[in-house]
Amino acid sequence: MKKIYAYCLLGLCLSLSQDNLAKQPDKYVNKKSNMEKKAPKDWKLGVALYTFNGFSFPDQLAKADSAGLHFIEGYTFGKAGAALKDSAVMNLSKTGVRQLKQMIQEKGLKMESIYLVGGKTIDRWKKEFDIAKELQVNYVTAEPPVHLWDGVDSLAGIYKIKVAIHNHWKGTSVYWTPDSLLIAMKNHPNFYACPDLGHYPKSGINPVDALKKLQGRIIAIHLKDIAEYNNPKLRDVPIGTGVVNFPEVFAELKRQGFQGNINIERDTQEKPSNLSSVIRSVQYYREQISQLK
């Protein structure tokens, strides 16, 4: 189905000129003001729990806590833990979701977002929005299919939960290029961007260029690195060891006045876990931020 969506999106892209893509409504662009840009200290560094996807929810929370992080992003296709019969989060009852919420609170963590799988019908999206609402997240990360853009945007408005659209690479996601995300956001006021910095290079896109195109609509970042450009078969590498120019990334985010969440995410599963890699990523992030001018 993803290929079908890609073809649909390609048709949309071809029907729009480059001028039209560039001329986004004012609300999609940061306007100049005399207010001081928000400093990086206002960025919320956290971890996407998918980083620890080989473990159940309670163990994922423990690892996030051990990394010294306060903010987390959940995902609805993960296992909820033995106490909840290892059910997928998306299949939990309201009582089960409340148990997850209690686990988060007991660890002193804050889940500000959750990745939604969604589905082919708006009813499936509604069920996962119900979970997001129960967890009191600020936004959901998702990749809504083209034919459900209007429906998902409407749900987001009803639930008052923003949708941060995430990108995978070319051939697997309609959102592989920031141009397609600009199309999705047009006339969908509840759609925003959650650029995955490690996925863009797989499609030959410089992450900094993508951030510039999405200025004014970025509410979250997936902090990830990759070893080379134009190789979709690669798995990610530890942050700061690949081709992503993070000093330029952070400088661009600061220039834009970004005030959102930055979630470390690993796709590669190291042994015994990605915890040590996440801790190193936190250190690297703080070193780079301290050098921002």
Side-chain angles (χ1 to χ4, degrees):
M1 291 299 295
K2 288 184 177 179
K3 288 185 177 179
I4 295 175
Y5 300 152
Y7 295 146
C8 292
L9 186 63
L10 180 59
L12 285 172
C13 289
L14 290 174
S15 68
L16 295 171
S17 68
Q18 289 298 318
D19 287 341
N20 286 334
L21 283 175
K23 293 177 181 177
Q24 296 297 310
D26 288 346
K27 65 183 178 180
Y28 289 88
V29 182
N30 277 345
K31 295 181 179 180
K32 292 182 180 180
S33 72
N34 295 323
M35 296 179 64
E36 183 180 353
K37 294 290 188 182
K38 289 288 184 179
K41 66 182 179 181
D42 296 302
W43 299 349
K44 299 176 181 180
L45 181 66
V47 62
L49 294 185
Y50 181 77
T51 299
F52 308 117
N53 65 69
F55 301 85
S56 65
F57 190 78
D59 291 333
Q60 292 170 0
L61 296 182
K63 287 177 174 25
D65 184 47
S66 296
L69 293 167
H70 178 62
F71 300 103
I72 57 173
E73 178 175 88
Y75 60 107
T76 58
F77 57 97
K79 291 183 178 180
L84 292 165
K85 300 180 180 179
D86 274 334
S87 168
V89 172
M90 69 177 75
N91 295 328
L92 290 175
S93 65
K94 182 176 288 189
T95 299
V97 176
R98 287 173 179 168
Q99 287 182 247
L100 293 189
K101 188 176 178 181
Q102 184 176 353
M103 293 180 203
I104 296 168
Q105 292 172 341
E106 288 174 352
K107 280 293 182 182
L109 299 171
K110 174 66 174 174
M111 182 178 285
E112 297 219 330
S113 61
I114 186 168
Y115 185 96
L116 304 189
V117 175
K120 299 177 182 179
T121 67
I122 204 65
D123 286 342
R124 186 67 219 186
W125 283 87
K126 183 180 183 302
K127 178 176 174 57
E128 294 197 27
F129 264 94
D130 285 336
I131 293 172
K133 182 179 180 180
E134 188 66 37
L135 290 170
Q136 296 181 304
V137 302
N138 293 335
Y139 67 93
V140 297
T141 307
E143 298 174 63
V146 175
H147 76 284
L148 290 180
W149 278 353
D150 290 347
V152 173
D153 180 65
S154 294
L155 275 179
I158 292 169
Y159 282 81
K160 294 181 171 55
I161 298 176
K162 298 173 182 175
V163 177
I165 297 181
H166 175 271
N167 57 286
H168 278 90
W169 51 94
K170 188 175 183 179
T172 64
S173 171
V174 297
Y175 305 110
W176 66 271
T177 166
D179 291 333
S180 62
L181 184 45
L182 290 176
I183 295 171
M185 290 189 295
K186 188 173 183 179
N187 299 322
H188 296 110
N190 299 299
F191 283 3
Y192 292 80
C194 175
D196 186 304
L197 303 181
H199 287 338
Y200 275 129
K202 289 186 177 185
S203 303
I205 296 172
N206 185 318
V208 177
D209 293 339
L211 294 178
K212 290 178 179 178
K213 282 193 172 186
L214 297 170
Q215 177 173 336
R217 299 299 287 179
I218 302 171
I219 60 173
I221 296 288
H222 275 185
L223 207 61
K224 190 181 293 174
D225 208 346
I226 197 76
E228 63 185 64
Y229 276 84
N230 295 302
N231 190 342
K233 295 181 180 180
L234 288 181
R235 305 287 282 182
D236 65 303
V237 296
I239 295 167
T241 65
V243 298
V244 178
N245 189 327
F246 287 101
E248 286 190 4
V249 164
F250 296 137
E252 175 59 22
L253 290 174
K254 183 178 180 182
R255 183 194 69 79
Q256 292 187 20
F258 172 76
Q259 300 175 36
N261 295 74
I262 297 180
N263 289 314
I264 296 165
E265 186 181 51
R266 295 298 313 273
D267 293 332
T268 299
Q269 294 300 302
E270 299 175 340
K271 300 296 182 182
S273 77
N274 282 331
L275 178 57
S276 60
S277 172
V278 171
I279 291 173
R280 290 196 303 272
S281 296
V282 172
Q283 294 170 341
Y284 176 81
Y285 168 87
R286 290 175 176 162
E287 289 168 1
Q288 294 301 317
I289 292 304
S290 69
Q291 296 171 27
L292 267 182
K293 297 180 180 179

